[in-house]
Amino acid sequence: MMRKQAHTAKAAEAVAGTPWSITDMVLDIIDRELAVPAPERGAALIAVRDSRLIVDVVSDPRPGESVSYWHSDQLRRRLSDYLTDNPTRRYVGTVHSHPGGYAEPSGPDHQAFANMLATNRAIRDAIFPIVVQAPRDGLGSVLRLGDKHLADLPHGTFAGYSAHPTDAGLVVRPAPIHVVPAGAHAAVVADALTRHLGQPVTVRWGEPLTVSGTAWLTAQFMIDTRTIAGVALGPSYPMTPPMVWAAESASPVFSSWPISATGDHLAGAVSAVLQHQTPPVAAVRAGIRERLSVHLPNQIDAHVLLIGAGSVGSNAAEMLIRSGVKRLTVVDFDTVEPANLSRTVYGSGDLGQLKTAALADRLTAIAADVEITQLTCPLQELTGEVLDTVDLAFLASDDMAGEGWLNHELYVRAIPSVSVKVFAGAEGAELAYVLPARNTACLRCMMGAVGSGDRGDADYGTGRINGSPALGPDIAAAAARGVKVALALTQTDGPLADWLDELVSRRLTYFLSSNVAGWTYTEFARAGSLPFDGLWLTAPGRPECEICGMERVSDTQPAHVAAFTTSPPQGIGDVDTDDHRHGEDN
């Protein structure tokens, strides 16, 4: 049964109605879409379910008539779709604009309010504000109702009115309006954190938090995708204190708070909880440099391309960042699995995440100013747009076919590269580096072409090396040796640069190391070899190689280049063994 519609008031009663809270962000939208254009225009107001906190607005794309407004069919459809997509929110009333300074409901407005309440039985108390382009001191007779129902807009005034049905008819009263300055204060916090941390900080609004049955707005302050702090603001904020917390998992606490608080007070509260957790970037960077300056006198500006974020790759990435690398592009399409936790840098909280995303979170937690680009494409899909920005490549994947293709792409661009691979069971490891500018052999010449050996255990379809058990410290040691060479490639002065220069001048570009006694590939060179034995080898390029030889394939020609073998290079002997490199992406 519909409510009676005949008994409608013709003027708002001069008695305070139901109070409502509304965010400054909603008022900004209302100002832009209702106060600026010519009246009459309207929009549906959205509140958090079971609250009187207005947090959103659904605008009507169609203006009303010159003397009246009610929902268009387009708005009804928009509102229906919005509420379907946002089940924690509810429609609580309609705001529309009036011409001039007439900031109270007209007779037709009262009838429209009554009709809406009659057809929406779930709404017992609604709000029907009026927006005018006049400032509050130009509202004339409306001021007889007081001014607690008024909110100033940049281009006019917002006047709130509550309405509820009674047996005697519709009751319309001025609704006290409290503006929650959430957007303005959050912007002050973001600006303050940006200055303090030296990194752009953005605001992300989340779902409301229920505190003692009351809805509170929540905002997270982000550096890229990482949450560094959060706040919760109640419907009477800033008269009541906010809740503040540091990082995504921390518990919120109430901050000490003055009644007449500003955005600066909120910024101070957030900074207080962060002061022991997020030191300024400059302090972090100075601390990293403090114990590196002797070995790395040149600050590292290189953009490093990391292929593979598994056991070797994740360990190498952390070492690179802790050594001063600031720009890293990581390529990997796998996710973190429980078996990965024994020999990577990931934790149980990373399970199921893409390795690139989990690694980015870990690295930015070490140094907030690092730039991490995450790519999940196959290696053969790396574009020139990506490769042309790279200064150094670190190859640590199990995709031998993809790295065979990338070997050519890097060489023709004169991009130095370091490759680290670990043999089955981590009994040994190999390290190779390529300096095209110094005409060293390419990786294919050092590691051999497909079919040149008999130790292969690669997947026939993908060319990726199958994984096998191995001890984490042995893999980390191999990664560390590769990182040291990579760091040396970023230096022009100092002990690392001198060390590498001697190796290059002697054409020692390939290194084998063992983790067990009598390992096949070191035993042939040194009888009775012990664990941790290692030897540098000369690996000359082949004159016929289309990558580094006399007749190279140019960067304008398609490269039909074979992948690497899973055998050792012929330069260290043809050894008959069943050992094989194991996949690093585990």
Side-chain angles (χ1 to χ4, degrees), residues 1 82 94 102 126 259 427:
M1 179 177 179
Y82 179 96
T94 298
Y102 190 72
I259 294 178
E427 292 186 355

Side-chain angles (χ1 to χ4, degrees), residues 291-344:
R291 299 189 180 182
L292 296 174
S293 57
V294 172
H295 295 87
L296 300 172
N298 309 125
Q299 293 210 31
I300 300 175
D301 295 320
H303 177 191
V304 179
L305 174 67
L306 175 65
I307 304 299
S311 53
V312 170
S314 65
N315 280 284
E318 181 161 323
M319 294 178 204
L320 288 168
I321 295 303
R322 292 187 186 278
S323 299
V325 170
K326 296 180 183 178
R327 292 187 295 158
L328 190 67
T329 291
V330 185
V331 185
D332 199 307
F333 54 78
D334 281 342
T335 56
V336 180
E337 300 176 357
N340 300 141
L341 304 187
S342 66
R343 58 197 196 193
T344 63

Side-chain angles (χ1 to χ4, degrees), residues 386-401:
V386 173
L387 296 177
D388 290 342
T389 67
V390 170
D391 301 303
L392 172 65
F394 194 102
L395 310 184
S397 79
D398 56 8
D399 185 0
M400 301 299 284

Side-chain angles (χ1 to χ4, degrees), residues 517-519 522-531 533:
W519 185 53
T522 51
E523 182 71 11
F524 84 92
R526 185 167 33 248
S529 64
L530 299 173
D533 259 357

Side-chain angles (χ1 to χ4, degrees), residues 13-201:
E13 297 181 1
V15 178
T18 304
W20 288 82
S21 294
I22 187 169
T23 70
D24 57 347
M25 297 176 288
V26 172
L27 287 180
D28 286 343
I29 298 173
I30 290 173
D31 178 73
R32 183 174 64 251
E33 300 192 5
L34 273 70
V36 173
E40 291 191 9
R41 292 179 177 271
L45 297 174
I46 306 297
V48 178
R49 184 177 292 278
D50 300 324
S51 82
R52 292 194 178 91
L53 174 60
I54 299 171
V55 295
D56 209 349
V57 60
V58 180
S59 299
D60 193 336
R62 180 180 175 183
E65 304 296 332
S66 59
V67 295
S68 65
Y69 166 81
W70 195 239
H71 293 181
S72 68
D73 290 339
Q74 293 97 315
L75 177 57
R76 291 189 184 94
R77 288 192 292 270
R78 280 189 176 184
L79 182 58
S80 176
D81 292 342
Y82 179 96
L83 295 176
T84 299
D85 294 338
N86 297 273
T88 62
R89 300 186 178 185
R90 66 184 182 117
Y91 165 69
V92 293
T94 298
V95 56
H96 72 285
S97 58
H98 273 185
Y102 190 72
E104 59 182 303
S106 64
D109 289 337
H110 282 264
Q111 186 63 57
F113 299 166
N115 291 343
M116 191 283 292
L117 290 172
T119 55
N120 290 270
R121 291 174 173 270
I123 301 178
R124 298 297 302 171
D125 209 344
I127 180 169
F128 296 102
I130 306 297
V131 170
V132 294
Q133 294 178 330
R136 71 167 63 199
D137 58 6
L139 300 185
S141 64
V142 173
L143 296 178
R144 78 184 190 282
L145 303 174
D147 63 359
K148 291 184 178 179
H149 68 303
L150 303 179
D152 296 321
L153 302 175
H155 298 92
T157 305
F158 174 97
Y161 296 91
S162 65
H164 66 275
T166 67
D167 291 339
L170 185 71
V171 175
V172 177
R173 293 172 175 168
I177 298 296
H178 174 70
V179 179
V180 180
H185 285 196
V188 172
V189 174
D191 288 344
L193 293 178
T194 296
R195 292 193 302 271
H196 176 67
L197 300 175
Q199 280 276 87
V201 175

Side-chain angles (χ1 to χ4, degrees), residues 340-394:
N340 300 141
L341 304 187
S342 66
R343 58 197 196 193
T344 63
V345 301
Y346 305 119
S348 58
D350 299 320
L351 293 175
Q353 287 193 62
L354 285 168
K355 289 179 179 177
T356 52
L359 187 58
D361 287 344
R362 182 172 180 88
L363 299 181
T364 53
I366 296 170
D369 62 338
V370 296
E371 299 176 21
I372 310 296
T373 301
Q374 305 170 39
L375 299 177
T376 56
C377 61
L379 299 189
Q380 291 89 336
E381 293 182 12
L382 289 175
T383 64
E385 184 178 356
V386 173
L387 296 177
D388 290 342
T389 67
V390 170
D391 301 303
L392 172 65
F394 194 102

